[in-house]
Amino acid sequence: MGVEGCTKCIKYMLFFFNFIFWLAGGVILGVALWLRHDPKTSNLLELELDGAHAPSTFYISVHILIAVGAVMMVVGFLGCYGAIQESQCLLGTFFACLVILFACEVAAGIWGFMHKDTVSKEMINYYDTVYDKAAQQALLAETEQPAAAVLKVFHETLSCCGKSKGTSILTKMTDVLGLTDLCPSSGVSVDCHSRIDELFTDKIYLIGIAALVVAVIMIFEMIFSMVLCCGIRNSPVY
């Protein structure tokens, strides 16, 4: 025999929320792995010019998400097992893990909100540096033009060309005259600044939505785990 009445209902509700939490951990892990290996971001963030790599802030965030997803799956399993076994020790450990995870998530959320534009700004600055070097190498008619090769990857990956509309038109004109070969073969005229901002901003919001959903689930789990733990302690069976 175990807990009875409302406490028994709480037990199964906690199991249900833990199962959802475990699934959410799997989803976050899957999304993080997708963000890490997405062709668009991978092509851009693995670029290198004169020993300088593309900004890695985005990858740092993704690696943190991978760790969080894996930990959530372990903690979710711990909570499910603790609820079914009605173990005060496991439930107490589960609650402590949730508090730590919740505190880390709040801290990460505050940091992310304060630096939400950092990733796109860093990548735009990197793009501008590459663009300027490519333009300089083209004007000097240098034999080897590594900056042009890096810039071409930007343009083909994002289907864009130039810093702004003006430089986009100018770059297309130099391509037509045969001075350069920088714009994508699709012939689009969208500037790369807006494309980069769109790419990383959309993915930052996706991470934020996932974190908000998980935070709500964690709050319910902390409440239910404590109620169940108190119910087990006060149960005459124990």
Side-chain angles (χ1 to χ4, degrees):
M1 262 183 91
V3 292
E4 298 294 339
C6 292
T7 309
K8 191 171 185 177
C9 179
I10 292 290
K11 166 184 170 178
Y12 289 109
M13 287 181 69
L14 179 60
F15 177 85
F16 172 75
F17 273 101
N18 273 311
F19 182 69
I20 298 297
F21 187 74
W22 181 82
L23 286 179
V27 170
I28 287 177
L29 182 61
V31 169
L33 289 172
W34 168 70
L35 290 172
R36 174 63 181 82
H37 298 288
D38 178 44
K40 282 189 176 181
T41 52
S42 295
N43 287 344
L44 297 183
L45 295 170
E46 291 173 3
L47 292 174
E48 181 181 352
L49 178 63
D50 297 337
H53 293 271
S56 59
T57 307
F58 182 76
Y59 270 170
I60 292 171
S61 304
V62 169
H63 289 151
I64 291 172
L65 271 184
I66 291 172
V68 167
V71 171
M72 282 178 61
M73 293 188 73
V74 173
V75 173
F77 175 78
L78 178 68
C80 285
Y81 189 73
I84 291 299
Q85 294 297 318
E86 300 179 11
S87 169
Q88 293 185 63
C89 179
L90 286 176
L91 288 172
T93 305
F94 170 70
F95 180 82
C97 291
L98 279 183
V99 171
I100 294 170
L101 277 176
F102 188 77
C104 291
E105 187 174 344
V106 170
I110 293 171
W111 182 89
F113 180 78
M114 292 175 63
H115 298 84
K116 62 181 183 297
D117 298 323
T118 300
V119 176
S120 57
K121 284 180 179 177
E122 287 181 349
M123 186 56 68
I124 287 172
N125 290 336
Y126 182 74
Y127 171 82
D128 288 349
T129 301
V130 173
Y131 184 92
D132 292 340
K133 286 186 178 180
Q136 182 182 5
Q137 290 171 0
L139 287 173
L140 296 174
E142 295 182 8
T143 307
E144 293 186 4
Q145 299 185 11
V150 174
L151 193 62
K152 185 74 171 179
V153 174
F154 264 105
H155 292 166
E156 291 289 352
T157 302
L158 298 177
S159 296
C160 64
C161 189
K163 300 180 187 179
S164 59
K165 289 184 179 179
T167 54
S168 176
I169 295 170
L170 179 62
T171 308
K172 289 183 72 175
M173 287 176 61
T174 57
D175 278 6
V176 171
L177 294 172
L179 299 175
T180 59
D181 181 23
L182 299 175
C183 287
S185 52
S186 57
V188 295
S189 58
V190 181
D191 66 279
C192 289
H193 280 194
S194 58
R195 284 286 197 192
I196 292 170
D197 190 55
E198 179 184 332
L199 174 67
F200 288 102
T201 300
D202 287 349
K203 292 187 175 178
I204 294 275
Y205 279 124
L206 180 64
I207 293 172
I209 291 170
L212 182 62
V213 171
V214 170
V216 172
I217 295 173
M218 287 171 70
I219 291 171
F220 279 104
E221 286 190 321
M222 285 189 283
I223 295 171
F224 289 152
S225 63
M226 278 296 94
V227 171
L228 180 58
C229 198
C230 291
I232 293 170
R233 186 179 303 158
N234 297 328
S235 175
V237 178
Y238 298 93

